Amino acid sequence: MIKKNLVLFFLSIAFLSNAQNVRHIETINDAWQFYKGNIENPFSSNVSRSWEKVTLPHSWNTQDILDDEDGYYRGEGWYKKTIKIPQIYKNQQVFLLFEAANQVTSLYVNGKVVEKDHIGGYTTFARDITRVLKKGTNEIVVKVDNSHNDEIIPQSADFSFYGGIYRDVHLIITKQVHFEVANLGANAVFISTPKVSELSAEISVKSKIVRPKKGTYYVKQSLFDANNNLVKTIKTKSKFGKEVISSFSIEKQNLWSPENPYLYKVITEIVDKKGVVFDRVENPLGFRWFSFDANKGFFINGNKTKLIGTNRHQDFYKKANAVSDEIHRYDMKLLKEMGINFLRIAHYPQDPAILEMCNKMGFVTTVEIPFVNKAAANEIGKQNSINMLKETIRYNYNNPSIVAWNLGNETTMKAPDKLGEAYTKHFIETHKVLSETIKEEDKTRYSYTVFFREPAYQDKLGIRFTEIVGYNKYYGWYIEELEDIDKNLRSLVKRTLALNPDKPLILSEYGGGADPRLRTYNPTRFDFSVEYQFLLHKAYMKAILEIPEIVGANVWNYADFQVEHRKDAVPHINNKGLVSASREKKDVYYLYQALLKKTPFLAIASKGWKKRAGIEDSENSKVATQPITIVGNTDDVELIINGKSLGNQKFNFATTTFNVPFQQGQNLIEIVSEKEGKVFKDFANIDFTLQPKNLKSKTNPFKEIAINVGSYCYFIETDNVDYLWMPDQAYTKGSFGYLGGDFLRTKTKRRNNFGVDVSVKGTENDPVFQTQVVGLESYKFDVPKGTYELSLSMAELNSRKENSMDILVNDKKVWENLNLKKQYGKDRGVTKRFLISVDNNDGITISFKALKGQTRLSGVKLRKVN
């Protein structure tokens, strides 16, 4: 045994040294030049163009995706660079590998076409450039086009189709004898584990090599454990033009699971009779077996496991999709800290760094292609979709975290039965052939489709071909109310299993939007408050954990992401994320930590809300009592404010709420809990503005206030400082508020909420302008004598009618015949400040006199000058 271990040790040392001698790989992300627009002849020296210096990853849509103008650039973008190809091997082969470029890519080297049109913006591809290289400097030119194309998916979606070379580009140099590089999917080695048990495992490795007809070559497989110890090695003789299949088995292997994501690695080499290594590739390997059962759930290694996790898009605020590997890995770290075990990589294959971390962190994973909303137009489009699916499966095949391939998302969004008989037939056939392709490419994993319409609709069309089905359901957000979530989910399960009793069901999307700047103690559906999102997810998690037929669930979404056409509280942002687009944690992130983490956890859910305000409980009470929600997986928790204990409270479904008396200025909140003999704490330092109950109070004199008119939400203006707008209220004597009028509401089949979803031009503070009181008669502040600065904010939102008004302050006309639409344009925020003197005890009355249509007001600030 000692002799055998010594042999294995020296063999492993030999492998490590050989790794440096074969297959050179480097990124070539630096020193590119970029031109946005069409170029008829990119190699002409007679045309003067302004090229911009850029570094990959790069997208040309980082700015126009977020501006006030409708639309964003979809067209051609050109990249070029010069490079000296290093002489690594004699008679070497040289390749370029693109991790992704969106969405049609053409490659030229030294003026010659290498790739005319690679179709698909999310899959990896490689091309052999050896034949077009020359000694010395070589010029690489790449055209990328993200224009809409009827023959390329996605046709439409609730995400933005950014253009650019937005992932890494690799230079790969091999010897003449090498594993295939420039093939469909850019992967030449496929590892599977046909049989795995607790005691043993079978491994099968399929590979294809490029080699001369004459000569003897072997494919050598070496299995290493997580500590780089050589476990087993075998050699298989290769035949010219034939795939090589290497099979072997081991015993007493470590298993891969979410709780213990143990990874081996397989090093695959081409060697000759003398043992000279010609090429070498490395792949991860995780030993696991898994199954889905429609009634019992998901099992991995024989253990029933409830799959709870998120979806993820690949973009980042102001970077579009040109995101670094470090950001990708940071996202995975935040998800691991949250406690998930399940990730839906949506709605397209993503950066290789994501699956690398899924393997290492134990995330059970599904991967899909961007067949969203609508099928590509014709037979060519269908074949493009098939090729995307093949590239996706083949490139990502060796990731043990993947359990299913998803052929599409919400594909019936465009109601195929209303688009004609020919399209419907093509649409059904597309689903069928994609489902078949999954099983042809990979028999070891499940096929998967995600729908959103009612189960009976998909069955009537006849498109439920896959083994697993997912449903995107937004109960409590787009439809129905919070209290109906459990009932609606149980009904969905019943209807689905009645039609397809053998198909496991995943709740593939659920959630609701939250703008971190919007806070409230009166949460309502679609108000985009952090508090409503918290309640929504709490209700979902209660139901999901109790319904065994929901085998897995994915929150939509892990992070807020940029969508050009969105006009929610934050325009151009889908803010259903558990963290913001720049990765600040929302309250609900901590809720999931409390529910999912196996280790003790405790947090003040709203600790990110550091600037608060409120009206004192009673005149001269010097405190305003407001609720604070604590989350944790301990038994109970004590809350201490400014050194005074408010006692202990028990957790109920990982949450408890204290009524906390805040005083003017800084308030230190400390929470303390104990579990397993250890003490856990969390802190929040809150700067509180205590507004007087009576604005003429001498003990708490009025200084300044900002009112988010027509809303029950606080709004935190974060452009420069955390400036806080308070919720609105009807006028009461001694205080402030509106008289007459009503809160502006949006009433549709899907929404019944305050305000409108309009992208307001000329401001970053859209929520202030999106809510209004309309038809108001006046707004009053019962302030004492003095000089005040008054600011009025307003906008004409989605109005088809002409509205005009006069505005008076204490009977003095300050804004005459104000027609917002005519004078400033629709959906544009307007703010004007006035200096007001109050010489008596009547305070300030702002009167609104309608000349045509209705009066309106979005926001008001009042500051005492002296």
Side-chain angles (χ1 to χ4, degrees):
M1 180 61 74
I2 294 174
K3 184 177 180 181
K4 180 182 177 182
N5 287 340
L6 283 172
V7 170
L8 291 174
F9 171 76
F10 286 118
L11 280 171
S12 65
I13 295 297
F15 276 119
L16 292 174
S17 62
N18 285 337
Q20 307 306 316
N21 299 327
V22 291
R23 188 165 285 220
H24 175 85
I25 304 174
E26 64 175 85
T27 57
I28 53 168
N29 291 341
D30 299 319
W32 287 82
Q33 295 184 75
F34 170 70
Y35 178 81
K36 186 170 77 172
N38 299 343
I39 300 178
E40 287 188 14
N41 182 3
F43 310 105
S44 171
S45 58
N46 298 325
V47 180
S48 176
R49 296 185 187 92
S50 178
W51 291 76
E52 173 190 355
K53 291 180 180 179
V54 299
T55 299
L56 306 183
H58 174 264
S59 171
W60 57 69
N61 295 124
T62 55
Q63 302 300 317
D64 60 359
I65 212 78
L66 294 169
D67 62 23
D68 278 340
E69 300 300 318
D70 289 338
Y72 58 104
Y73 180 73
R74 297 190 67 180
E76 289 183 7
W78 291 80
Y79 297 83
K80 67 179 182 178
K81 74 171 291 163
T82 56
I83 186 172
K84 246 183 182 177
I85 306 297
Q87 186 65 44
I88 307 295
Y89 312 118
K90 185 179 180 181
N91 299 322
Q92 63 191 18
Q93 297 292 115
V94 183
F95 306 86
L96 289 181
L97 182 144
F98 292 78
E99 288 184 359
N102 200 28
Q103 70 178 347
V104 179
T105 307
S106 301
L107 171 63
Y108 309 86
V109 178
N110 297 324
K112 296 177 182 177
V113 179
V114 175
E115 170 61 63
K116 179 58 178 171
D117 291 311
H118 173 265
I119 303 295
Y122 306 95
T123 53
T124 299
F125 63 98
R127 296 296 179 262
D128 189 338
I129 62 171
T130 310
R131 64 178 176 81
V132 293
L133 293 176
K134 62 183 181 181
K135 289 184 177 180
T137 300
N138 293 265
E139 184 181 53
I140 300 168
V141 175
V142 182
K143 180 182 79 169
V144 184
D145 191 338
N146 70 330
S147 301
H148 175 81
N149 187 319
D150 287 340
E151 295 177 346
I152 303 174
I153 54 173
Q155 289 291 295
S156 67
D158 192 25
F159 57 92
S160 299
F161 310 141
Y162 311 107
I165 306 177
Y166 68 92
R167 294 187 196 153
D168 298 332
V169 176
H170 300 267
L171 176 69
I172 300 175
I173 302 174
T174 71
K175 297 177 181 179
Q176 281 193 311
V177 178
H178 60 274
F179 291 108
E180 271 194 326
V181 179
N183 55 22
L184 189 65
N187 179 22
V189 174
F190 299 87
I191 304 171
S192 61
T193 52
K195 289 184 181 179
V196 179
S197 70
E198 291 182 352
L199 300 177
S200 63
E202 294 180 3
I203 303 101
S204 178
V205 187
K206 182 173 68 173
S207 58
K208 190 171 183 179
I209 66 174
V210 176
R211 47 156 291 185
K213 287 185 178 181
K214 295 182 179 180
T216 303
Y217 298 91
Y218 300 88
V219 175
K220 187 176 183 180
Q221 310 291 352
S222 302
L223 178 67
F224 289 82
D225 67 16
N227 295 315
N228 273 319
N229 298 312
L230 182 62
V231 177
K232 195 157 189 175
T233 183
I234 67 164
K235 279 198 306 184
T236 308
K237 192 174 181 179
S238 75
K239 294 181 180 180
F240 178 77
K242 298 283 184 73
E243 288 182 335
V244 179
I245 297 178
S246 308
S247 299
F248 58 100
S249 62
I250 64 168
E251 296 179 347
K252 298 180 181 178
Q253 77 286 350
N254 290 291
L255 296 177
W256 185 95
S257 69
E259 292 76 26
N260 181 37
Y262 191 96
L263 286 175
Y264 292 80
K265 69 179 176 184
V266 176
I267 293 178
T268 306
E269 296 174 306
I270 303 172
V271 298
D272 64 9
K273 287 181 178 180
K274 297 179 180 179
V276 175
V277 180
F278 288 82
D279 200 6
R280 176 188 189 274
V281 293
E282 181 179 314
N283 283 286
L285 173 60
F287 293 107
R288 78 283 185 269
W289 75 95
F290 57 87
S291 63
F292 287 88
D293 185 280
N295 294 292
K296 297 178 182 178
F298 175 76
F299 293 80
I300 186 164
N301 305 331
N303 299 314
K304 185 175 180 178
T305 303
K306 192 80 167 185
L307 296 174
I308 304 291
T310 76
N311 292 267
R312 179 189 184 268
H313 267 301
Q314 66 184 1
D315 75 341
F316 193 90
Y317 190 56
K318 294 186 177 179
K319 291 180 179 289
N321 57 355
V323 179
S324 68
D325 287 358
E326 288 74 21
I327 289 176
H328 289 306
R329 288 192 286 266
Y330 178 71
D331 280 352
M332 296 299 99
K333 178 186 173 188
L334 285 185
L335 285 170
K336 184 67 175 177
E337 289 177 1
M338 199 176 90
I340 73 162
N341 61 7
F342 189 29
L343 182 66
R344 178 184 173 210
I345 297 176
H347 292 303
Y348 39 75
Q350 297 184 16
D351 193 282
I354 297 299
L355 279 168
E356 175 195 344
M357 301 308 289
C358 288
N359 297 335
K360 291 177 177 177
M361 292 180 167
F363 298 159
V364 173
T365 310
T366 64
V367 180
E368 63 198 64
I369 61 169
F371 178 14
V372 185
N373 291 5
K374 190 173 182 287
N378 50 32
E379 188 62 30
I380 294 173
K382 183 171 73 177
Q383 190 57 52
N384 287 337
S385 302
I386 293 169
N387 288 340
M388 279 186 217
L389 181 57
K390 288 181 177 179
E391 284 186 328
T392 298
I393 293 174
R394 293 182 187 184
Y395 184 73
N396 298 293
Y397 189 92
N398 296 326
N399 292 285
S401 57
I402 299 172
V403 297
W405 305 105
N406 184 357
L407 66 81
N409 174 75
E410 296 189 351
T411 56
T412 58
M413 176 67 77
K414 298 298 181 182
D417 53 338
K418 296 182 180 179
L419 296 177
E421 186 177 340
Y423 173 78
T424 303
K425 183 179 178 182
H426 165 69
F427 178 82
I428 295 168
E429 178 61 25
T430 299
H431 281 79
K432 183 174 184 290
V433 72
L434 289 175
S435 179
E436 291 169 347
T437 300
I438 290 173
K439 301 313 292 184
E440 289 166 3
E441 292 289 318
D442 187 357
K443 292 179 173 60
T444 71
R445 295 178 172 101
Y446 284 77
S447 58
Y448 181 28
T449 327
V450 166
F451 300 117
F452 85 104
R453 292 182 184 270
E454 285 303 292
Y457 184 86
Q458 277 75 226
D459 276 53
K460 183 180 177 182
L461 279 174
I463 56 172
R464 201 188 302 278
F465 295 106
T466 57
E467 297 156 298
I468 305 172
V469 292
Y471 278 98
N472 300 341
K473 290 295 180 184
Y474 289 91
Y475 304 125
W477 186 247
Y478 292 120
I479 56 173
E480 305 291 342
E481 297 300 327
L482 198 68
E483 56 270 19
D484 298 322
I485 286 172
D486 184 272
K487 177 189 72 176
N488 284 321
L489 288 178
R490 291 182 188 277
S491 176
L492 173 67
V493 167
K494 185 178 179 180
R495 297 193 309 275
T496 304
L497 293 182
L499 292 167
N500 299 100
D502 61 331
K503 293 189 185 293
L505 183 150
I506 294 173
L507 184 60
S508 41
E509 291 182 23
Y510 67 95
D515 179 351
R517 302 172 301 171
L518 285 171
R519 297 281 185 167
T520 185
Y521 297 122
N522 297 284
T524 57
R525 182 162 69 90
F526 233 94
D527 65 4
F528 290 95
S529 70
V530 172
E531 285 70 25
Y532 185 81
Q533 185 191 48
F534 186 95
L535 294 176
L536 180 77
H537 281 277
K538 183 177 176 180
Y540 266 104
M541 280 299 289
K542 278 184 176 180
I544 289 165
L545 293 174
E546 290 177 0
I547 303 174
E549 296 88 352
I550 296 178
V551 302
N554 300 99
V555 175
W556 189 266
N557 191 34
Y558 154 66
D560 294 350
F561 57 97
Q562 300 153 115
V563 188
E564 198 279 338
H565 62 258
R566 278 265 170 183
K567 297 177 180 179
D568 294 334
V570 187
H572 319 300
I573 298 286
N574 185 321
N575 52 21
K576 295 185 182 73
L578 307 181
V579 300
S580 72
S582 52
R583 301 332 190 235
E584 290 87 9
K585 297 171 184 175
K586 301 181 188 178
D587 293 14
V588 71
Y589 177 92
Y590 301 110
L591 172 66
Y592 276 94
Q593 282 188 294
L595 291 170
L596 299 179
K597 286 178 76 70
K598 301 296 189 290
T599 54
F601 178 76
L602 185 70
I604 301 167
S606 59
K607 59 186 170 184
W609 185 10
K610 298 177 181 178
K611 183 87 169 180
R612 307 193 189 198
I615 299 170
E616 58 187 343
D617 294 344
S618 58
E619 195 168 341
N620 303 323
S621 69
K622 298 185 179 179
V623 296
T625 301
Q626 295 183 349
I628 290 282
T629 296
I630 312 301
V631 295
N633 57 16
T634 58
D635 292 329
D636 61 3
V637 60
E638 179 187 14
L639 186 144
I640 302 162
I641 179 167
N642 300 323
K644 181 182 178 181
S645 175
L646 299 186
N648 286 56
Q649 292 184 186
K650 288 189 174 296
F651 285 111
N652 179 13
F653 200 68
T655 63
T656 189
T657 300
F658 286 84
N659 290 316
V660 179
F662 288 95
Q663 63 187 29
Q664 173 68 32
Q666 295 297 315
N667 292 260
L668 177 62
I669 295 178
E670 178 183 0
I671 58 172
V672 184
S673 188
E674 188 175 324
K675 189 172 184 178
E676 298 172 359
K678 295 181 180 178
V679 175
F680 300 91
K681 296 183 179 183
D682 197 20
F683 301 88
N685 198 17
I686 295 172
D687 183 9
F688 197 88
T689 300
L690 185 67
Q691 294 290 355
K693 186 80 170 177
N694 187 323
L695 298 184
K696 294 176 182 176
S697 169
K698 290 185 167 45
T699 57
N700 183 20
F702 172 81
K703 296 178 182 176
E704 181 175 3
I705 197 168
I707 310 300
N708 188 11
V709 174
S711 174
Y712 293 123
C713 289
Y714 291 85
F715 174 73
I716 306 162
E717 186 177 331
T718 57
D719 284 352
N720 300 307
V721 295
D722 288 346
Y723 189 85
L724 188 67
W725 297 68
M726 291 183 62
D728 203 3
Q729 64 179 31
Y731 170 73
T732 57
K733 188 172 178 59
S735 187
F736 66 89
Y738 63 92
L739 288 93
D742 294 300
F743 282 18
L744 176 65
R745 295 185 76 100
T746 297
K747 294 184 179 181
T748 66
K749 289 182 179 179
R750 299 179 75 186
R751 294 181 58 175
N752 183 10
N753 65 290
F754 300 112
V756 294
D757 56 345
V758 168
S759 177
V760 184
K761 299 177 178 64
T763 181
E764 296 295 321
N765 300 323
D766 293 76
V768 169
F769 294 91
Q770 289 171 336
T771 57
Q772 299 180 338
V773 171
V774 294
L776 77 165
E777 298 169 6
S778 60
Y779 210 99
K780 287 180 66 71
F781 294 90
D782 287 348
V783 290
K785 295 178 182 179
T787 304
Y788 295 85
E789 182 184 77
L790 171 69
S791 296
L792 301 177
S793 297
M794 53 195 72
E796 191 77 72
L797 305 175
N798 280 340
S799 178
R800 296 178 182 178
K801 299 178 181 178
E802 285 286 319
N803 295 287
S804 62
M805 59 184 171
D806 288 340
I807 300 176
L808 301 86
V809 177
N810 292 343
D811 297 326
K812 178 185 176 183
K813 193 177 291 184
V814 295
W815 212 341
E816 187 174 13
N817 195 18
L818 173 60
N819 187 319
L820 291 162
K821 186 176 180 180
K822 185 176 180 180
Q823 296 169 17
Y824 300 99
K826 68 174 183 176
D827 303 338
R828 178 167 289 277
V830 179
T831 298
K832 187 172 283 195
R833 292 199 301 266
F834 305 92
L835 200 63
I836 306 296
S837 293
V838 177
D839 301 321
N840 53 38
N841 290 319
D842 293 336
I844 294 175
T845 299
I846 310 156
S847 301
F848 299 83
K849 306 295 183 184
L851 304 177
K852 185 185 291 186
Q854 288 184 303
T855 60
R856 60 202 59 235
L857 179 65
S858 291
V860 57
K861 291 182 188 177
L862 188 67
R863 181 174 69 89
K864 193 171 192 299
V865 178
N866 56 53

